[in-house]
Amino acid sequence: MRKMAGVLWVIRVRGEWAHFGGIHFGPERMTMLVPSHSACVGILRSVLGKWEARWVVESVTLLTHPVAVPIKLNHLRSFASNGGESIDIVERRTQRVFTYLQNPDYVIRARISLGAHADASDNISKLDNMIEKRLRVGHREYQPYLGTRECTASITHVVDVSTLPPPI
């Protein structure tokens, strides 16, 4: 039994870098312009990561057009070693080009509902109060990130939507 919350949370998410890749891009390591639903849920779970809470993302708005920047990274082709020998990094290195977004700025609108793990003592207003307090104080379950853990994000609660720049 899932019950929708009455509070619509408007969260602004910004960072220096973002990379929302996936297997649908193949070996090209491209990025999506906006985060997927699961990426948004991951960002929101950094505020409240309770199992009884289920985030329902209603919309994602792009406030600035981020610049796509190709970055060349060194990777190992394989991690297997032959009988405990050391790995020759020069021999097993491969270079890949990843496309990152520079200075992305998003607004996520989401509600919280009770998930399958909720019991009789859980209610929506308790969870909404926890979210409001954590956003006001700045407490996080873990560091939010934009796609990969190297792309850290900052989260702010938008109280007055009229203060936001117009979306693109």
Side-chain angles (χ1 to χ4, degrees), residues 126-161:
K126 177 179 97 171
L127 296 173
D128 282 336
N129 289 335
M130 290 173 72
I131 294 167
E132 193 275 327
K133 180 180 178 185
R134 288 177 182 215
L135 287 171
R136 184 172 24 89
V137 173
H139 178 74
R140 305 285 182 264
E141 295 280 331
Y142 54 86
Q143 173 65 48
Y145 53 91
L146 296 169
T148 62
R149 293 194 185 264
E150 292 84 11
C151 304
T152 59
S154 65
I155 296 177
T156 54
H157 180 215
V158 179
V159 179
D160 186 11
V161 182

Side-chain angles (χ1 to χ4, degrees), residues 51-69:
W51 284 105
E52 62 269 16
R54 182 176 169 266
W55 285 98
V56 180
V57 177
E58 293 190 358
S59 69
V60 179
T61 306
L62 187 60
L63 295 180
T64 61
H65 200 319
V67 178
V69 178

Side-chain angles (χ1 to χ4, degrees), residues 4-168:
M4 289 300 293
V7 176
L8 175 66
W9 294 101
V10 181
I11 310 287
R12 188 172 183 177
V13 183
R14 294 184 264 195
E16 289 185 41
W17 298 99
H19 179 79
F20 302 109
I23 58 171
H24 51 279
F25 287 121
E28 296 177 12
R29 311 311 193 267
M30 299 297 288
T31 183
M32 295 181 286
L33 191 57
V34 291
S36 64
H37 181 273
S38 61
C40 290
V41 169
I43 292 167
L44 296 170
R45 285 187 73 78
S46 71
V47 176
L48 182 69
K50 303 276 184 200
W51 284 105
E52 62 269 16
R54 182 176 169 266
W55 285 98
V56 180
V57 177
E58 293 190 358
S59 69
V60 179
T61 306
L62 187 60
L63 295 180
T64 61
H65 200 319
V67 178
V69 178
I71 297 176
K72 188 183 292 187
L73 299 173
N74 293 324
H75 284 242
L76 284 177
R77 271 181 264 157
S78 69
F79 290 97
S81 65
N82 298 333
E85 296 176 13
S86 63
I87 296 174
D88 184 10
I89 189 75
V90 176
E91 183 180 302
R92 292 193 185 177
R93 180 184 69 192
T94 182
Q95 291 186 335
R96 295 188 173 123
V97 177
F98 287 73
T99 302
Y100 280 78
L101 299 174
Q102 189 175 20
N103 298 321
D105 193 356
Y106 303 104
V107 172
I108 301 173
R109 289 175 175 82
R111 296 182 190 272
I112 198 131
S113 68
L114 292 177
H117 297 283
D119 57 16
S121 66
D122 297 320
N123 62 36
I124 300 268
S125 62
K126 177 179 97 171
L127 296 173
D128 282 336
N129 289 335
M130 290 173 72
I131 294 167
E132 193 275 327
K133 180 180 178 185
R134 288 177 182 215
L135 287 171
R136 184 172 24 89
V137 173
H139 178 74
R140 305 285 182 264
E141 295 280 331
Y142 54 86
Q143 173 65 48
Y145 53 91
L146 296 169
T148 62
R149 293 194 185 264
E150 292 84 11
C151 304
T152 59
S154 65
I155 296 177
T156 54
H157 180 215
V158 179
V159 179
D160 186 11
V161 182
S162 65
T163 60
L164 291 173
I168 62 167

